[in-house]
Amino acid sequence: MKKDDFLGKPISIPSRGIAHTICAERDLVSKRIFGSIHLTEVSMDDLYELRELVVNEINDRIASSHAPEPE
């Protein structure tokens, strides 16, 4: 195994270049980016609204996963 194999496969990051998968993930976390959302650029009011949307989505999915299948 090569020295940097534990960092994951190389991937191409648009407008950034090539990076290992682990390095790219760490970079996104350090910059607080999720998907295409740059969390540092979102206002506090919008962050609170986003949190509510996410919590509601999680609760809905949990509830529907425990619901009995329709016959």
Side-chain angles (χ1 to χ4, degrees):
M1 178 153 68
K2 288 189 262 176
K3 181 176 136 184
D4 60 353
D5 280 350
F6 70 95
L7 295 173
K9 297 181 187 229
I11 60 170
S12 177
I13 302 172
S15 74
R16 297 288 305 271
I18 304 295
H20 296 104
T21 52
I22 299 295
C23 298
E25 289 171 8
R26 287 181 184 157
D27 183 57
L28 291 175
V29 168
S30 72
K31 292 181 178 168
R32 298 193 306 259
I33 299 172
F34 181 79
S36 62
I37 302 171
H38 295 252
L39 295 171
T40 56
E41 297 174 8
V42 178
S43 72
M44 284 301 293
D45 289 339
D46 288 344
L47 277 176
Y48 286 123
E49 185 175 344
L50 178 60
R51 178 174 64 179
E52 288 300 314
L53 289 169
V54 170
V55 168
N56 288 333
E57 181 65 24
I58 290 169
N59 290 338
D60 287 347
R61 289 185 187 195
I62 289 170
S64 66
S65 71
H66 292 111
E69 292 291 322
E71 293 181 26

